[in-house]
Amino acid sequence: MDKNVIKADNILLPSKANMSTWACIACDQFTSEPEYWKTLEKFVGSDKSTLNLTLPEIYLEDDADARISKINKNIKDYLDKGVLKSLQKGFILTVRKTPFVQRRIGLMVAIDLEEYEYLPKSTSLIRATEGTIEERIPPRLKIRKNADVEFPHVMVLFDDENRNITEDLYNNRDKYKKVYDFELNMGGGHIEGYFIDDYNAVIQKFYRLLDTNRLIKKYGKDDKFLFAVGDGNHSLATAKTHWNNIKETLDESQKDNHPARYALVELVNVYDEGIYFEPIHRYVYGVDKETFIKGLEGVDGGKVRIIDGENELNKNGCNDLPSGIRAIDCYIKQYIEKHGGVVDYVHGDDNIKKLVSDRKDAVGILFDKLDKGDLFRYVSKNGAFPRKTFSMGEGVEKRYYLEGRKITND
């Protein structure tokens, strides 16, 4: 294959930090639970931490510009003071244990943003699995456009039913240098990392997934579909937007090697035992419960559960999961435009039930799980799912900010 979709790069890790306070969970988690972030801030204290280098979305309305300015300053300080050290060019094999799974294997690599497209009907090598809301890109772009380093929480899936890429690396992990091994804070479990220096052989294994006969057998057509963004699509879309802006200022030779052309992500096999899909529920508050629920009677949301804190109503419509979510989201949008209210997206049945029970003006809409084996086939045939269709696991299982990568030439 003549394209460099996957690239080994110089990954950054902290040299002077307590790893348990260094790593923190993805910015788009626990957006309705300020107590999570307050507890984390107290735990981190004055330690060096990625919490100081990222913007939790719960604070987007809380003087975000000042926070972003501080984030960029902190990144420069960490670089200047040697808090971050660069490994040699390579990958990092990650082994994550969570409260829900014994093992999830991943591989930290850089991917070419020229091969990624987030439009719903994209035919690019790297595709979004859910709809992208472009209004969510600008605040993230404010951070990235002035940042020297990226700290990713993006998890990208690949479709390897034979399980002979990351699984082989895991089985041979003792031959690689261990670069971290620690407990994650806030109940996130445990993580180990191994430096992979023989990366060319690994890259070739990924490219073999694009064999024409294999693709026709799996998807019914020669669809060159290598990677599907499972988590962090809006962050990757931000990286793409940032690169599109930068490359307008570069000549052709500069475009080939500029670090912002690539983004650091964690690749995970969709068939990995640690990957399971959880539904993302709709939590609507600031509404008249009776009026809101009555309006849902005429909406075919497929198979859903509706809770109001006291009662639970099961509905079995005709729509499949993606169509049902689209119908529900359309209704919520129309209701809020007419009557007011707020919608948030919550992982976990217990989480949304607690949120709804704590308020007298809240309703929860709970969806079924997506079968992970259907993911690549569906996206190949139909394009991206509706936004917030599924989550890879529970909130505490999300990727933590840990590794970094320079995205400037400075």
Side-chain angles (χ1 to χ4, degrees):
M1 186 175 183
D2 60 354
K3 295 183 178 180
N4 295 315
V5 188
I6 311 163
K7 178 183 178 182
D9 211 335
N10 301 100
I11 296 175
L12 300 172
L13 287 175
S15 61
K16 303 175 182 178
N18 174 352
M19 295 301 285
S20 289
T21 51
W22 170 260
C24 75
I25 206 159
C27 66
D28 56 354
Q29 298 304 302
F30 305 107
T31 52
S32 294
E33 301 174 55
E35 63 275 9
Y36 177 96
W37 295 100
K38 290 177 182 177
T39 302
L40 177 58
E41 288 169 1
K42 184 176 180 180
F43 175 76
V44 168
S46 60
D47 283 4
K48 305 299 183 185
S49 175
T50 54
L51 183 61
N52 302 320
L53 311 176
T54 55
L55 177 60
E57 290 190 358
I58 197 169
Y59 300 129
L60 280 177
E61 305 300 324
D62 182 17
D63 199 6
D65 286 345
R67 287 179 177 271
I68 290 169
S69 178
K70 185 67 179 296
I71 287 166
N72 288 323
K73 180 181 182 299
N74 288 338
I75 292 174
K76 290 183 182 298
D77 285 348
Y78 281 17
L79 287 171
D80 292 344
K81 295 176 181 178
V83 176
L84 293 163
K85 64 179 179 181
S86 175
L87 302 180
Q88 294 178 339
K89 189 175 291 186
F91 300 150
I92 292 179
L93 179 76
T94 66
V95 184
R96 173 87 178 270
K97 181 180 179 181
T98 81
F100 301 94
V101 299
Q102 285 297 308
R103 187 185 71 213
R104 187 177 76 210
I105 305 169
L107 190 68
M108 299 301 297
V109 310
I111 58 172
D112 188 355
L113 293 169
E114 285 291 300
E115 304 300 336
Y116 161 67
E117 183 53 70
Y118 56 79
L119 295 176
K121 295 290 185 178
S122 170
T123 58
S124 57
L125 283 164
I126 308 168
R127 304 177 197 175
T129 55
E130 66 171 14
T132 303
I133 306 301
E134 297 198 10
E135 290 81 2
R136 295 184 64 189
I137 294 176
R140 298 167 185 251
L141 191 61
K142 283 184 179 180
I143 298 175
R144 194 174 185 93
K145 72 178 183 180
N146 293 314
D148 294 312
V149 178
E150 63 174 352
F151 294 92
H153 71 263
V154 181
M155 293 178 65
V156 173
L157 299 171
F158 60 97
D159 189 7
D160 175 25
E161 68 278 10
N162 294 322
R163 303 181 64 180
N164 64 4
I165 304 179
T166 48
E167 289 83 355
D168 281 358
L169 290 172
Y170 173 80
N171 292 334
N172 292 285
R173 65 192 182 283
D174 289 345
K175 65 182 276 191
Y176 299 110
K177 179 183 178 181
K178 184 181 283 188
V179 290
Y180 53 72
D181 183 353
F182 65 98
E183 290 292 318
L184 294 161
N185 57 47
M186 302 296 291
H190 190 93
I191 192 163
E192 299 173 15
Y194 300 84
F195 179 68
I196 307 299
D197 53 0
D198 52 351
Y199 48 83
N200 285 323
V202 180
I203 292 172
Q204 291 309 311
K205 282 189 175 183
F206 279 110
Y207 289 163
R208 284 198 284 272
L209 296 177
L210 296 173
D211 175 75
T212 295
N213 292 331
R214 175 184 179 275
L215 294 174
I216 292 174
K217 182 178 180 180
K218 287 186 72 72
Y219 310 133
K221 56 183 176 179
D222 185 15
D223 185 6
K224 301 301 185 188
F225 181 15
L226 185 58
F227 295 135
V229 184
D231 268 343
N233 183 64
H234 287 88
S235 290
L236 200 59
T238 300
K240 172 77 171 185
T241 303
H242 178 59
W243 166 239
N244 284 342
N245 292 341
I246 284 180
K247 72 180 181 181
E248 295 299 320
T249 68
L250 306 175
D251 60 36
E252 290 304 315
S253 62
Q254 292 173 318
K255 290 178 184 178
D256 288 341
N257 298 304
H258 196 285
R261 174 172 174 157
Y262 292 84
L264 190 64
V265 303
E266 181 180 11
L267 299 180
V268 185
N269 188 0
V270 73
Y271 294 98
D272 186 274
E273 293 172 359
I275 288 292
Y276 65 100
F277 290 167
E278 287 294 321
I280 300 180
H281 306 309
R282 274 48 176 170
Y283 167 53
V284 188
Y285 59 96
V287 300
D288 179 84
K289 292 194 295 186
E290 184 176 346
T291 302
F292 183 85
I293 293 173
K294 184 174 180 60
L296 277 172
E297 293 177 0
V299 179
D300 185 352
K303 187 177 180 181
V304 296
R305 288 174 290 152
I306 301 167
I307 57 172
D308 65 3
E310 301 173 357
N311 306 297
E312 181 169 321
L313 173 66
N314 294 313
K315 291 190 65 177
N316 293 295
C318 297
N319 273 332
D320 59 16
L321 179 63
S323 301
I325 290 175
R326 287 191 182 94
I328 292 288
D329 285 347
C330 182
Y331 168 73
I332 292 173
K333 180 181 179 182
Q334 290 174 348
Y335 181 95
I336 290 175
E337 287 175 350
K338 185 175 181 180
H339 302 286
V342 180
V343 61
D344 199 0
Y345 305 90
V346 177
H347 308 90
D349 290 16
D350 291 342
N351 285 347
I352 193 168
K353 287 177 180 178
K354 181 181 185 305
L355 288 168
V356 171
S357 67
D358 286 346
R359 298 186 63 128
K360 295 182 179 180
D361 62 350
V363 176
I365 303 171
L366 286 69
F367 296 101
D368 272 356
K369 294 182 181 181
L370 170 72
D371 185 339
K372 68 179 185 179
D374 293 336
L375 179 75
F376 275 78
R377 190 179 305 108
Y378 179 93
V379 174
S380 176
K381 180 180 179 181
N382 302 295
F385 286 89
R387 67 181 297 255
K388 301 294 184 182
T389 295
F390 67 92
S391 165
M392 294 198 301
E394 301 287 351
V396 295
E397 297 182 281
K398 297 300 178 180
R399 168 148 255 283
Y400 276 54
Y401 299 112
L402 200 170
E403 308 89 349
R405 176 181 162 274
K406 282 286 296 281
I407 56 174
T408 64
N409 282 319
D410 299 335

